[in-house]
Amino acid sequence: MARSFKEECSYLEKMSDYCYKINKGFVPNMKVEGLFYVNESLKGLMYEELRHHSASQGVGGFLPAVKQIGNVAALPGIVGKSIGLPDIHSGYGFAIGNMAAFDTADPLAVVSPGGVGFDINCGVRLIRTNLTEKDVVPIKEQLAQSLFDHIPVGVGSKGIIPMGARDLEEALEMGMDWSLREGYAWAEDKEHCEEYGRMLQADPSKVSSRAKKRGLPQLGTLGAGNHYAEIQVVDEIYDDLAAYRMGVEQKGQVCLMIHCGSRGLGHQVATDALVEMERAMKRDRIQVNDRQLACARISSTEGQNYLKAMASAANYAWVNRSSMTFLARQAFAKAFKSTPDDLDMHVIYDVSHNIAKFEEHMLDGKQRNLLVHRKGSTRAFPPHHPLIPVDYQLIGQPVLIGGTMGTCSYVLTGTQKGFEETFGSTCHGAGRALSRAKSRRTLGYEDVLEKLEQKGISIRVASPKLVMEEVWHTRGV
């Protein structure tokens, strides 16, 4: 029998002005509690979603994000808490903005593609320049067009980076090392990339031929949806030391932010794994609250095959972002009749949003090896952590948070408190206030373009309807 909204809320406990706990019993079989971090505005969206679900008695095919946090807390082998980060909203299986860690020492612990997402290693890269807003404004339209001409965009876009079947196999295995070898990356680019742009457990033989066929023509393409290449201007500096370490030294400085992922290849890897895991669940008698949380034991053949294929797709995504960095450097150099080196187009950092990684964390006073799922969330490691670059040891890992269309993005740094509370994770963007379908029904693209123009923002897009879909969403997956 369905519970009322009031009964549902009785399981939610306010811990602080920004943190709420989901007590066990909110959904069946919860093994740990849930947490979500929101301000008053975002809290209203979360509760309204839950109210609608309670009133409809679950009819309509969607689960509110808070329910999804609870369902993840019921997965075998989960430790700590199932955590919702500030931009959380409903997704497939896991909510987007939901992270969870699983103890690799527990033979029942699972890996779930729904905790990674279909766009594996969707992420954001920030590139600095020595240009200022005054340099860019006079040729703003030409520069926007140059970027649009150099980087293929749109649903069916095809890449211009030469790649044969053998190249693809090597890129899937080598990640950014392939880009470096082929001349599409600078040596220092990988030093400022999560995992140094390569997951060593990648095994291209675990990626299906269909996935490879989808990925082969798409290298160096931005795609559609919420992906973007955006020229940004430094508006405010809050920490002079951190800004100095990143090479962001003055207001008005121009940066470039690129957001994309593994395109059709990653989507197919996830699709293939879900089919395999449904079979594994029947064999191993794994029970989940939501069939979208299809999973397999980490130690199982299916679990290991997915992790190796996921790592390959992650490597593809880093090669993709590196290829677009190469193309963007060319676009800037052409527009300013200079060279990328003279324009100081260095990568500040590259973060992943949709990925699962083996990490060491302290839990209950003991160091544990955990498989950390971050879906629509960003790793945020503190100062002195061994997995962040030497350049950032004193300040913590750069954390890139994309804003909504026409609003500011943020560059943050990881903290020790965040590391302890959320396994070193934070939000990946501003979150979605309207669904894509509702955005299309509510907005006209002419109005959106006019408002952007009033703000002095130039835009190039493959299809006008995409502007309407993404105006209420962070440009992050």
Side-chain angles (χ1 to χ4, degrees), residues 150 152 158-171 178-179 181-184 215-221 316 319-320 322-324 326-327 330:
H150 278 77
K158 295 185 178 181
I160 59 174
I161 301 293
M163 172 161 281
R166 182 175 177 180
D167 295 307
L168 179 61
E169 293 285 331
E170 293 174 346
W178 182 87
S179 300
R181 188 191 73 185
E182 297 297 317
Y184 297 117
L216 188 60
Q218 292 185 332
L219 189 70
T221 63
Y316 179 95
V319 172
N320 195 30
S322 294
S323 300
M324 279 185 279
F326 171 79
L327 296 170
Q330 286 189 325

Side-chain angles (χ1 to χ4, degrees), residues 14-258:
K14 185 174 183 178
M15 306 299 291
S16 71
D17 288 342
Y18 56 85
C19 181
Y20 293 79
K21 182 169 69 173
I22 305 170
N23 290 306
K24 291 182 181 179
F26 181 65
V27 299
N29 305 317
M30 286 178 67
K31 296 167 177 61
V32 298
E33 296 166 332
L35 277 184
F36 59 94
Y37 294 84
V38 290
N39 60 16
E40 278 300 310
S41 176
L42 295 171
K43 172 197 163 188
L45 291 172
M46 292 278 283
Y47 274 66
E48 182 56 36
E49 196 177 54
L50 181 60
R51 184 194 303 275
H52 175 65
H53 183 263
S54 299
S56 65
Q57 297 186 351
V59 176
F62 88 101
L63 276 176
V66 67
K67 285 274 190 182
Q68 292 187 305
I69 296 172
N71 286 337
V72 169
L75 288 174
I78 188 170
V79 293
K81 292 179 174 62
S82 173
I83 298 172
L85 298 156
D87 60 348
I88 190 161
H89 51 286
S90 295
Y92 183 94
F94 279 53
I96 299 166
N98 190 182
M99 65 77 48
F102 298 80
D103 189 351
T104 60
D106 184 345
L108 300 181
V110 298
V111 57
S112 174
V116 172
F118 283 93
D119 193 0
I120 295 168
N121 193 11
C122 177
V124 167
R125 172 175 294 202
L126 186 64
I127 303 157
R128 71 175 190 244
T129 76
N130 56 17
L131 299 165
T132 67
E133 187 175 9
K134 291 180 180 179
D135 297 321
V136 169
V137 168
I139 64 164
K140 182 176 61 174
E141 295 297 334
Q142 297 96 306
L143 182 57
Q145 190 62 44
S146 183
L147 267 180
F148 189 73
D149 291 341
H150 278 77
I151 300 176
V153 300
V155 176
S157 54
K158 295 185 178 181
I160 59 174
I161 301 293
M163 172 161 281
R166 182 175 177 180
D167 295 307
L168 179 61
E169 293 285 331
E170 293 174 346
L172 292 174
E173 180 180 354
M174 297 171 64
M176 282 183 65
D177 286 333
W178 182 87
S179 300
L180 185 59
R181 188 191 73 185
E182 297 297 317
Y184 297 117
W186 295 354
E188 64 183 51
D189 288 352
K190 61 176 289 186
E191 300 300 319
H192 288 178
C193 184
E194 204 168 312
E195 299 295 313
Y196 298 101
R198 179 179 185 180
M199 294 189 79
L200 296 177
Q201 67 264 47
D203 183 350
S205 70
K206 306 304 180 185
V207 178
S208 70
S209 57
R210 180 173 174 80
K212 291 172 182 174
K213 184 177 180 180
R214 292 182 67 179
L216 188 60
Q218 292 185 332
L219 189 70
T221 63
L222 194 61
N226 51 14
H227 294 165
Y228 62 90
E230 183 172 273
I231 300 167
Q232 302 176 339
V233 177
V234 176
D235 188 57
E236 193 66 63
I237 294 175
Y238 301 97
D239 186 324
D240 290 333
L241 174 61
Y244 172 76
R245 289 282 180 179
M246 297 181 205
V248 181
E249 300 180 33
Q250 59 178 320
K251 291 184 182 181
Q253 183 175 342
V254 170
C255 295
L256 174 69
M257 186 176 277
I258 296 175

Side-chain angles (χ1 to χ4, degrees), residues 380-399:
F381 280 0
H384 312 299
H385 194 284
L387 292 183
I388 61 177
V390 173
D391 293 346
Y392 303 136
Q393 281 289 307
L394 293 178
I395 63 171
Q397 178 204 309
V399 178

